[in-house]
Amino acid sequence: MTSPGLHRCLRHPWWALFFSLLLIALCSIGMGKLYFRGDYRIFFSPQNPQLLAFEQMQYDFNKSDNLLIAVVPQDGNVFTADTLTLLQQLTEAAWLTPYAIRVDSVTNYQHTEADNDDLLVADLLYDPASLTPDSIARIKQIALQEPALVNRLVSASGAVAAINITVQLPEKDQNKEVQDVWQYMRQQTDDFATRYPGVEFHLTGVIAMNHAFASEAENDAKNLVPLMLLGILVMLAWLLRSVTASFATLVIIIVSVTSALGLAGWAGIFLSTATINVPTILMTLAVADSVHIIASAQFALRRGDTKLNALHYSISRNLKPVLITSITTAIGFLTLNFSEVPILRDLGNMTAAGVMLACLYSLVLLPVLLLLLPLKAGKATADTHGAMDWLADTVIRYQRLLLPGLSIFILLCTALISLNKVNDEAIKYFAESTEFRQSNDFLEQNLSGFTLMDFSVNAGQSNAVNQPEFLAAVDDFSQWLLAQPEVTHVNTVTDVIKRLNKNMHGDNQAFYRLPDSSEQAAQFLLMYEMSLPFGLDLNNQLNIDKSATRISATLRNLGSKELTGLEARALQYMAEQYPHYKVTAASAALMFAHIGERNMASMLKTLPLALVLISLLLIFSLQSWRLGLLSMVPNIAPALVGFGLWGLISGEINLALSVVAGMSLGIIVDDTVHFLSKYQHARQEGRDAEAAVRYAFHSVGRALWITTLVLVAGFGVLMFSGFRLNSDMGMLTALIIFIALLIDFLLLPACLLRFDNPREKHHV
Amino acid sequence: MYKPLCRTTVLLCGLLLAAAAPADDVAKGLQIAQEQKARDTGWGDSESELIMVLRNAAGQQTERRMRTLAFEMPDDGDKALTIFDEPRDVRGSAFLTHSHPTAEDDQWLYLPSLRRTRRIATRNKSGPFMASEFAYEDMTSFELEKFAFRYLRDENCNDQLCFVLEQTPTDSFSGYSTTHVWLDQQHYRVQKVDYYDRKNSLLKTLTMHDYQQYLDKYWRPHKMTMHNHQTGKSTDLLLQSIRFGTGRTEADFDVNALERAR
């Protein structure tokens, strides 16, 4: 395959340079339009059913985006004058949090009690200066008996208390809004920590999670990209042994990244926890093209060609494989478009575009740079070639052992795939070393989980929430929920109504039950609502026409299977017991629990499509059905082995891992293409399979070894991310790419010797 | 000729005042508020029918109906009795308030389902009234002692020249840090109110519509719209009818009279 256009570039290098720079500039200007989003909604498309249910619930009731501050006194008792004072002051300060619409704590809990014909409604603790041992004892007794507080805002042991801030973000600049909330509360807790030494604060909740998403992405950008650049520089210097060649490659890598980011900016794509690593991935992928072109040119220089001729030779030799491998890699990344997760689609498209740009720059700009800069031939590394020849000999000698042995190994690993299960827990996306994860783990052990599941029970008619039969159903459901092992707390309006019924009957404990008539329930609520302060109303539990109520269950931190299981059980219970009420479940955790499964299902559907496309491309480029079909073995096997081994290593498949199969397919195909095209070249020159395998190892073995090393290192760098979606993806992709090389070196030649050997056929 | 000139003069005065010392703004603010109060004094008693239309951010709406009897107290806060008609399950509930300029307001609720009256003993008055966007404190009688006033500027509102006053509640239990009130300069009627929450963010805006004059003197808006900027919810308070001089006496606003109210 030759292209007159590419060769003409070399004859007019300055023009080629000019137009390349123009293209790079035009693309890269778009980088100015890039912005960052760190909120959890970027994981969900606007049509996602769980997102729609969640948003509907937020329309019907108030928002539930929250920041929870756990307050942990050293002496293990929050019911002391000091800690109660702190809680009261921090609660007051919490009201000043940007976008706060509600603050709940032990101190501003609206305690109701009867005094003859008076209904007293007041903060449980209003004036800390007036605290006495008696009043502290009273507060403790009330707080630890109040179902709305225990296990939610105070631990049953009284060792940990919490303040929950509900925020209503305007959602104009989500990232900034989250930062504003976080920064304010961080400042406050830091101040309080100096004023009350010995008290610890932990921040968690949806805002903390959004903040963690953003800050982990920032850490990735700050730490991984420089690490990656450094790694590539070291490797290039070692591989190419030429400052110029390394410099030219570095230029290609950087302009590929800036162009891809710029195009994303023009396309209106934003940066996120997923796409923040596009530069790292792209750098890795772009290296291979340049290394192949430079290696060929250096080979020609060593045999005595002029620099111009060496570059012409290199372009002729590499045009086809570079183009084909770039296209297959792009196809692999484009399969991400079938993902349910918008930011993974962005990742796929940005990388695919970047890979094609890198291909273009490697073929046009790189030769021009090499022509204009001084280039040395570099030292030939005979040792690796020697190693490759030895490997060829070994594979040929043990072919009859390798083929069945590796086949059994692959089948075994395939069986291990069943050890994996889909699991998406937003909390577990964060490594145990991250602050967010530590706060959550602490809270789960000492107060309650961070996972919420909200249920809306809708009777379909106005003011139905006051009807005794409706309240009885809600109460029964709340009790059922509380009895589930996964549930630690249930916030339900029936607890409020029972308490009011008791208050209205002179605090007689016998009346701590649901009222007898809808009039009573309605009138008690009317009275209660009239006596509440700003922000502490019931609008977060009752919808506007009082046809529905929201019940919030706090859960232990569960895996996605357990979470969807609880959801299904709850909905089934209500459908059987109270079929006339419409019940829906929604929460951020539930959205993540479902997205993993949905994403996996859609990715599994697209995988065969990608495989067929890539195989057709190989059949077309090799112009051989037999080799094309044979190539499917080394293309499919690495993912099977990789996922099988993953079952042993971790066994958890999250969002990012479900796209690894498609993504890595496009990359590992490259090795096969290079190996097969060299093998085929030798065969066409009339050599037999054995000699062709030797030739393939000798001519391309070292390049494959090097590019694999670069790719494994590149994806390996992602393992240092504190964000498990990125680190797991990096680790598994690196693993699969490495396995692919082993299979290309061991199984593919064995297959070729067995199935592409006419002489052998005659014997059979 | 006369009107634009006058307007310019007022504007000029306004500009001059704005540049003057803050103490003058405080004095002017109080002066305007006193005039506002003075113009709404002497109406005696009234009886009105009201509909509340509640809307959530998605535009769904629901209604509440009630009647309010009001009795002016010359040397104290006004007395008011609100009887709920809809929703049906609170029908006949009656809410009596004796508001006081400085002391806490007295509040009682008669609950027909219990056939009993309960006093609401709380200092809270910033919560939503019947789950609407109005708080009790938005609806209680206007007393000078409840606020610190400051004149801010002159500004056009609803095609009239208005005073803009800053009213800062003196009660620490208020849900607001401050409010900005637009009063038209001709009749001293409230045209618009911006409510700021404790963190000084704009929380709600109240707009008055369809003012009508009664007894040749007293202006009453027939539609008040409260829009919550933070949640996107809103409430319309529609005045269906209002009568003055109903012949009620102070005794009709006694706690013991609550159970007779229908």
Side-chain angles (χ1 to χ4, degrees):
Chain A
M1 200 174 183
T2 54
S3 162
L6 287 176
H7 294 285
R8 200 174 301 140
C9 286
L10 280 175
R11 281 192 284 278
H12 306 285
W14 292 104
W15 279 111
L17 188 66
F18 172 73
F19 282 112
S20 300
L21 290 178
L22 190 68
L23 176 66
I24 292 162
L26 280 179
C27 292
S28 304
I29 289 171
M31 278 169 68
K33 291 178 176 293
L34 285 175
Y35 61 99
F36 182 82
R37 269 185 71 184
D39 56 291
Y40 66 89
R41 292 193 184 210
I42 54 178
F43 287 90
F44 306 93
S45 65
Q47 304 84 32
N48 182 289
Q50 281 75 36
L51 177 68
L52 291 178
F54 181 69
E55 290 194 324
Q56 186 59 47
M57 204 166 295
Q58 304 228 326
Y59 271 133
D60 290 346
F61 308 94
N62 276 351
K63 287 247 170 175
S64 59
D65 285 351
N66 73 322
L67 182 64
L68 189 86
I69 307 144
V71 178
V72 191
Q74 215 165 20
D75 56 6
N77 180 15
V78 297
F79 297 103
T80 61
D82 266 1
T83 307
L84 285 174
T85 305
L86 180 162
L87 276 174
Q88 197 272 346
Q89 288 169 344
L90 189 55
T91 303
E92 287 303 300
W95 276 108
L96 303 182
T97 308
Y99 318 113
I101 56 169
R102 184 183 179 109
V103 177
D104 289 285
S105 80
V106 170
T107 60
N108 83 349
Y109 162 70
Q110 293 299 303
H111 177 60
T112 53
E113 78 188 19
D115 178 15
N116 292 321
D117 275 352
D118 291 2
L119 175 70
L120 306 170
V121 182
D123 287 8
L124 189 51
L125 171 61
Y126 176 70
D127 179 16
S130 66
L131 280 172
T132 60
D134 282 352
S135 66
I136 291 174
R138 175 180 159 271
I139 289 171
K140 180 175 181 175
Q141 190 224 342
I142 292 170
L144 293 183
Q145 280 178 11
E146 173 51 47
L149 296 177
V150 176
N151 290 331
R152 179 163 162 263
L153 297 175
V154 64
S155 64
S157 63
V160 178
I163 296 171
N164 191 47
I165 307 171
T166 309
V167 294
Q168 172 110 29
L169 302 182
E171 301 192 351
K172 291 193 183 96
D173 181 355
Q174 276 256 15
N175 207 43
K176 184 182 173 298
E177 292 159 12
V178 167
Q179 290 304 321
D180 287 349
V181 175
W182 175 267
Q183 297 295 351
Y184 174 80
M185 211 6 100
R186 202 51 204 267
Q187 181 66 45
Q188 289 298 320
T189 51
D190 285 352
D191 287 355
F192 274 87
T194 45
R195 278 163 56 196
Y196 294 88
V199 180
E200 265 183 58
F201 298 90
H202 294 275
L203 269 58
T204 173
V206 171
I207 293 295
M209 181 170 80
N210 282 347
H211 174 265
F213 274 131
S215 72
E216 285 312 316
E218 197 186 319
N219 282 342
D220 278 9
K222 256 197 294 207
N223 303 331
L224 302 192
V225 174
L227 190 65
M228 186 66 211
L229 264 177
L230 187 74
I232 283 181
L233 269 177
V234 168
M235 246 176 309
L236 287 177
W238 174 60
L239 297 172
L240 301 171
R241 322 232 164 150
S242 153
V243 175
T244 313
S246 303
F247 172 75
T249 308
L250 202 62
V251 169
I252 298 298
I253 291 170
I254 290 172
V255 297
S256 301
V257 169
T258 59
S259 301
L261 290 179
L263 280 183
W266 286 121
I269 294 174
F270 54 84
L271 288 180
S272 61
T273 34
T275 50
I276 202 85
N277 286 306
V278 166
T280 314
I281 295 174
L282 213 46
M283 281 188 235
T284 310
L285 297 172
V287 165
D289 295 343
S290 300
V291 165
H292 281 292
I293 286 171
I294 292 171
S296 300
Q298 284 178 328
F299 171 76
L301 281 176
R302 274 198 299 276
R303 74 179 183 196
D305 285 15
T306 64
K307 192 153 82 169
L308 188 65
N309 283 342
L311 290 170
H312 278 300
Y313 166 78
S314 174
I315 288 177
S316 313
R317 274 281 304 265
N318 288 301
L319 175 61
K320 188 166 125 183
V322 165
L323 198 61
I324 296 275
T325 54
S326 297
I327 291 174
T328 53
T329 304
I331 289 177
F333 276 92
L334 287 175
T335 59
L336 267 60
N337 273 300
F338 293 92
S339 163
E340 289 280 326
V341 183
I343 52 171
L344 289 179
R345 282 179 235 154
D346 293 345
L347 170 70
N349 291 332
M350 284 171 74
T351 314
V355 164
M356 292 318 291
L357 282 169
C359 168
L360 180 71
Y361 293 148
S362 308
L363 290 171
V364 176
L365 183 59
L366 181 66
V368 170
L369 284 179
L370 294 174
L371 185 69
L372 298 177
L373 296 167
L375 177 66
K376 276 188 294 183
K379 223 170 40 184
T381 44
D383 49 330
T384 336
H385 283 293
M388 283 301 145
D389 293 341
W390 172 83
L391 193 57
D393 289 339
T394 313
V395 169
I396 290 166
R397 189 177 312 147
Y398 296 108
Q399 52 171 300
R400 286 175 199 285
L401 215 64
L402 279 173
L403 190 57
L406 283 172
S407 301
I408 289 168
F409 174 70
I410 291 170
L411 286 176
L412 266 177
C413 286
T414 309
L416 290 176
I417 292 179
S418 60
L419 291 178
N420 289 300
K421 61 173 189 155
V422 174
N423 190 23
D424 275 281
E425 282 172 75
I427 292 163
K428 287 211 182 156
Y429 287 171
F430 299 93
E432 276 166 28
S433 58
T434 57
E435 187 195 349
F436 176 68
R437 180 72 184 273
Q438 286 170 357
S439 289
N440 272 298
D441 290 352
F442 174 85
L443 267 187
E444 198 196 357
Q445 280 160 25
N446 294 289
L447 184 61
S448 76
F450 151 82
T451 313
L452 289 178
M453 201 187 289
D454 286 349
F455 294 91
S456 159
V457 183
N458 194 322
Q461 66 190 97
S462 292
N463 301 304
V465 293
N466 297 317
Q467 292 165 357
E469 62 271 24
F470 181 84
L471 287 174
V474 170
D475 190 39
D476 176 44
F477 182 47
S478 305
Q479 308 279 358
W480 181 89
L481 276 174
L482 202 54
Q484 304 310 302
E486 300 96 330
V487 179
T488 58
H489 182 263
V490 175
N491 197 29
T492 171
V493 76
T494 50
D495 283 343
V496 176
I497 293 177
K498 285 181 195 171
R499 173 157 52 85
L500 288 173
N501 195 29
K502 180 181 93 167
N503 296 148
M504 290 299 182
H505 291 92
D507 275 352
N508 182 347
Q509 191 62 34
F511 281 89
Y512 188 80
R513 55 173 170 79
L514 294 171
D516 303 322
S517 69
S518 57
E519 284 77 14
Q520 283 195 354
Q523 289 164 25
F524 296 170
L525 280 181
L526 174 72
M527 180 143 191
Y528 180 59
E529 284 190 301
M530 287 209 181
S531 44
L532 293 174
F534 174 75
L536 295 180
D537 50 73
L538 294 173
N539 290 347
N540 60 340
Q541 293 183 65
L542 301 174
N543 70 348
I544 187 165
D545 66 348
K546 301 201 168 159
S547 59
T549 182
R550 169 161 70 181
I551 301 159
S552 297
T554 309
L555 315 174
R556 268 174 250 291
N557 294 334
L558 299 175
S560 55
K561 276 266 195 300
E562 289 84 358
L563 203 63
T564 52
L566 176 66
E567 179 198 20
R569 252 164 44 226
L571 293 182
Q572 194 194 345
Y573 178 80
M574 287 304 276
E576 281 168 6
Q577 303 290 318
Y578 308 99
H580 42 294
Y581 298 136
K582 185 169 165 261
V583 184
T584 53
S587 75
L590 211 48
M591 283 155 62
F592 277 106
H594 282 276
I595 191 82
E597 305 255 349
R598 290 170 57 83
N599 195 50
M600 192 67 181
S602 61
M603 291 318 291
L604 283 178
K605 264 184 260 167
T606 53
L607 212 49
L609 178 73
L611 199 64
V612 168
L613 264 181
I614 287 174
S615 298
L616 282 177
L617 200 67
L618 291 192
I619 290 167
F620 169 74
S621 73
L622 295 169
Q623 303 197 325
S624 157
W625 281 96
R626 191 188 309 178
L627 288 184
L629 289 178
L630 212 56
S631 73
M632 291 178 81
V633 174
N635 290 346
I636 299 173
L640 294 179
V641 175
F643 275 93
L645 293 179
W646 188 257
L648 291 178
I649 298 168
S650 158
E652 272 187 24
I653 303 284
N654 58 36
L655 280 187
L657 290 194
S658 55
V659 303
V660 163
M663 197 173 88
S664 60
L665 177 64
I667 301 171
I668 59 180
V669 160
D670 300 1
D671 291 355
T672 320
V673 169
H674 284 294
F675 195 92
L676 282 179
S677 60
K678 294 295 177 292
Y679 170 83
Q680 194 184 28
H681 177 72
R683 291 283 287 167
Q684 278 159 358
E685 284 181 352
R687 299 186 219 187
D688 65 5
E690 214 174 280
V693 163
R694 265 186 235 281
Y695 174 78
F697 264 111
H698 186 82
S699 58
V700 83
R702 178 171 175 264
L704 292 188
W705 170 242
I706 288 167
T707 49
T708 300
L709 214 60
V710 172
L711 287 166
V712 168
F715 281 96
V717 161
L718 290 183
M719 284 164 57
F720 295 102
S721 171
F723 190 57
R724 274 197 42 207
L725 286 188
N726 293 337
S727 59
D728 282 6
M729 182 175 80
M731 185 170 172
L732 184 55
T733 310
L735 184 68
I736 289 178
I737 291 173
F738 185 69
I739 293 165
L741 182 73
L742 292 184
I743 286 179
D744 277 324
F745 276 175
L746 302 178
L747 184 63
L748 181 61
C751 283
L752 288 169
L753 292 169
R754 174 76 183 82
F755 300 110
D756 190 44
N757 203 335
R759 267 190 308 173
E760 191 110 321
K761 248 183 213 160
H762 291 302
H763 291 298
V764 171
Chain B
M1 271 308 282
Y2 164 77
K3 247 190 157 176
L5 188 70
C6 173
R7 197 168 284 182
T8 317
T9 318
V10 172
L11 250 172
L12 270 174
C13 291
L15 281 172
L16 283 172
L17 274 166
D24 292 349
D25 290 343
V26 171
K28 183 172 179 187
L30 180 62
Q31 195 192 332
I32 294 168
Q34 282 167 338
E35 178 64 18
Q36 177 195 359
K37 181 74 183 168
R39 291 196 183 203
D40 200 46
T41 302
W43 47 268
D45 67 280
S46 69
E47 178 173 346
S48 45
E49 283 180 276
L50 298 157
I51 300 182
M52 242 184 194
V53 183
L54 281 59
R55 262 179 229 99
N56 67 10
Q60 290 165 320
Q61 60 178 55
T62 184
E63 282 187 13
R64 316 253 188 273
R65 284 170 189 271
M66 65 203 88
R67 286 165 288 147
T68 296
L69 316 177
F71 191 83
E72 189 181 16
M73 296 287 290
D75 302 316
D76 198 355
D78 299 337
K79 295 185 175 177
L81 177 62
T82 300
I83 302 150
F84 299 100
D85 292 326
E86 272 178 36
R88 256 209 353 242
D89 48 24
V90 296
R91 177 175 292 172
S93 302
F95 181 52
L96 175 67
T97 60
H98 293 177
S99 66
H100 306 295
T102 46
E104 281 166 49
D105 292 358
D106 292 308
Q107 305 176 335
W108 297 266
L109 188 67
Y110 170 71
L111 303 171
S113 63
L114 286 182
R115 296 173 198 281
R116 293 290 286 272
T117 298
R118 292 272 185 261
R119 194 174 79 90
I120 304 177
T122 182
R123 298 179 66 183
N124 300 326
K125 51 190 181 181
S126 52
F129 184 82
M130 297 203 71
S132 75
E133 293 312 310
F134 285 89
Y136 169 73
E137 64 179 310
D138 304 339
M139 305 167 75
T140 181
S141 76
F142 175 69
E143 305 295 339
L144 294 172
E145 293 81 353
K146 290 181 178 175
F147 302 97
F149 298 93
R150 192 161 70 95
Y151 165 80
L152 292 178
R153 61 185 178 272
D154 282 354
E155 197 174 281
N156 267 318
C157 64
N158 296 341
D159 297 325
Q160 306 161 77
L161 192 59
C162 292
F163 297 116
V164 187
L165 290 195
E166 181 189 75
Q167 293 186 358
T168 307
T170 49
D171 186 347
S172 63
F173 279 81
S174 170
Y176 313 120
S177 61
T178 188
T179 58
H180 290 177
V181 181
W182 279 255
L183 289 167
D184 68 72
Q185 301 195 350
Q186 197 179 0
H187 298 294
Y188 286 77
R189 299 171 303 192
V190 175
Q191 297 290 340
K192 181 175 132 176
V193 186
D194 276 347
Y195 297 89
Y196 291 86
D197 65 14
R198 279 199 258 177
K199 55 184 185 292
N200 259 321
S201 315
L202 181 59
L203 173 67
K204 302 189 292 191
T205 296
L206 174 66
T207 49
M208 314 298 214
H209 309 268
D210 194 11
Y211 264 108
Q212 289 179 27
Q213 198 177 27
Y214 292 89
L215 307 179
D216 290 333
K217 187 173 179 191
Y218 306 107
W219 293 91
R220 293 289 178 269
H222 279 243
K223 181 180 172 190
M224 299 162 77
T225 301
M226 184 72 90
H227 177 75
N228 188 318
H229 299 283
Q230 294 177 7
T231 62
K233 294 181 184 176
S234 65
T235 301
D236 285 346
L237 186 58
L238 306 172
L239 180 61
Q240 293 298 96
S241 68
I242 181 162
R243 289 192 299 136
F244 289 85
T246 57
R248 289 183 200 269
T249 63
E250 197 181 340
D252 291 321
F253 294 86
D254 191 79
V255 187
N256 300 319
L258 251 187
E259 288 162 37
R260 297 195 309 271
R262 286 294 174 270

